[in-house]
Amino acid sequence: MISKKIIALLFVSALAMPYASAQKNKSKQNEKAIEAFDIERVRVTSPTILRVQRLAMDYIMGLDADRLAAPYLREAGLTPKAEPYPNWESTGLDGHIGGHYLSALSYMYAATGDKRFKERLDYMVGELQRAQAATPEGFLYGIPGGNNLWTQVGLGNIDAGAFSLNGKWVPLYNIHKTMAGLRDAATLGKNNKAKDVLIKMCRWFSDLVSKLPDEKVQLMLQSEHGGINEVYADLYKMTGQRRYLQFARRMTHNAILTPLLDHEDKLTGMHANTQIPKVLGIMRIGQEDKDAQFISAADYFWQNVVGKRSVTIGGHSVTEHFNPTNNFVSMIESEQGIESCNTYNMLRLTKMLFLSNPDVAYADFYERAMLNHILSTINTVQGGFVYFTPMRPGHYRVYSQPQTSMWCCVGSGIENHSRYGEMIYAHKADDVLYVNTFLRSTLDWKSNKVQVEQTGDFPWTEKSEIIVRSNSKKPKTWTLKIRRPAWTDQMTVTVGGEVTLATASSDGYFTIDREWTGTDTVSLSYPMHMQAFDLPDKSGYYSFVYGPMVLAADMGTADQIGLYADDSRGGHIAAGPKMSLIDAPTIILSDDSDTPLKHVSRSDDGKEWLLSGLRPEKYGQIKLVPFVSLSEHRYSVYFRTLSRSRYDKEQEELARAEAERIALEKRTTDKVTCGEQQPETDHQYKQTSSSQGFDVDGRHWRETKGWFSYTLKTTDARHIAITYRQSPNRQGRILCDDNEVGTLLMGKDELRTVELEIPQNSGEIVVRFEPQGGDRSPRIYEVRTVR
């Protein structure tokens, strides 16, 4: 068998380089702080980006502002002009897309100058202002029955779960989306009304919470709350009123902050996108309050997620949660792979960190995740956005539809494709210009009287030009810094056709200090080469990357059931048939000197990459193409790599596991994974005094001192199957529709599955768990109804 030590030496993790590099320059962050350009100063002209941007523009304009505003008007006691949208917008998270919509309109207007988006934005803000004006308190939300909820919160009556607050589905997360949308409407959309509405809304909420003791606030913050602390830090910058920054600190969740301050990794098993927005707030507080500890905490989080938890396309998480850093089995097996919202927020955090400390590693990650994950989350055939991008070989993605799909990743999705210009350029006063990526684009550096244009067709070509046009009457001296990407080792920069630079500075940038006048041309050559990267757990699953682009195998279009999502609760999950892992293409290494990279070759005409030496033999050679080109297709990004002797043995092990999985799935009518947000929400989770957690392997559970219940479908089912951890001192009752049907017995500490007969089958059943003879129930991991 090939030595894993040799492989580890040959192929470092795809994202470990940023982890190491960004550690070098963490000191003196305030001295190095730079600025992003206002987004309206940058125009992306890349044909690839313009194509997806047009699809996103059509999607955004296809949404009905009156339907999105309906929940806000309803909760303010006004009559909506239209029915609200279905799906998440009518099942408890009413209004959350409205906040994202404000951001999407604002960003698209700033990025394109298209007045249609400004007009739609102004109308939407006007409707929200009308709703807010109807409430003497100044609140603004679409949460059903929110008035009673906030009254109880104000009184200190708080019952918080990870994904609920006083029985409502993540209401703090919901109002954060509205706050963030109003912030973007005020700053990017140039809507003065939005600022007034935002201030009133933020005052309402801070006044509501101000009377609560700290322990009540921290209890409340156990419920997913987005990045409320970030918005208040931004509001401090907008108004100069320090009370908003103080409130931002108060709305920071200590359960995530404290380990990060101590540089401790407590992330495994946590709901990933619950944590990232909290860290965005921690970073913004650090920036505004010049708090180096907060910035260091945010940076540690970034290093951990990017260096230890991310796959080659830049995303992370399985079933929305952080998997163990030393076990990516679930990443390969699950159809619920990396979540788009996570990468959306990681890119926002990356930009913040870069502006505090312009390390090339942040730009490397930003480019990788933007070009491979974000760019792939829009359907380039007909539009629509992706929730989960599975890394399971041979699986596929589901695409949203404008009138049926109202998921969180639609909210971030309608924002994503106006933001490609955010990190292309940055500057330090009028002294330094950073060029971080080579997308065809233009920059109006107005304060310096300079226009910059990038040509070429990056990332599809290996050469481009930066044309600098100086409009000042006198020559100006300033510094141009051009990133040397981690994916090239032979880059050259030629200035004015005369001076050629072949070595970057110690900060990872080619540095050109000169006097600029008239028109100057800087020519770039960045030869690309193929690299192979293992999963972070070094388990022998490899992905291939050419230059900045992750490659994948096209696995066809068969059986993509639910390719276009309906309005069902699980419509965002690619629930069609899974290709057996036994049949997944596997690279066979001949000896210890063989490597995955040796199995990749270029076709004779140089237009294709071919992967060979595969089992099963039916594959012969497989073409590798850019992952972003595979809309509406099954695909394989990662390939198992084994020695010849190990292959047959692992195939037998996979066959046994696959047979067991298939048999169980065939018997299953419905199932819920305990302690995970979407499965529980989808099954009408209810509780008193219940808590959730996860084992060291990342497996989730729920236990209770009171009770908790789920509603499951029972079509054709005769039994319920419950997986729980047997305990020597815990026992539990199981009730179906209030009838006791069984007991979870005490015993040796181990996982067990018990099957109980369903007393009667009416199409669905409420399964309830309670302690029996003790202070809490056993830990429950999974509940199924089975045939």
Side-chain angles (χ1 to χ4, degrees), residues 77-94:
L78 302 177
T79 302
K81 296 178 180 178
E83 290 294 316
Y85 276 111
N87 200 236
W88 292 17
E89 280 289 301
S90 291
T91 52
L93 210 55
D94 311 33

Side-chain angles (χ1 to χ4, degrees), residues 446-457:
K446 188 175 182 180
S447 64
N448 215 14
K449 297 182 179 180
V450 170
Q451 275 75 46
V452 177
E453 179 183 3
Q454 288 202 71
T455 65
D457 194 19

Side-chain angles (χ1 to χ4, degrees), residues 37 64 131 135 151 250 271 290 318 386 401 485 491 532 673 690 754:
F37 285 97
D64 187 336
T135 67
T151 298
R250 196 150 193 253
H271 186 256
K290 296 180 173 56
V318 182
V386 169
Q401 298 189 84
M491 182 174 177
T673 304
S690 172
V754 60

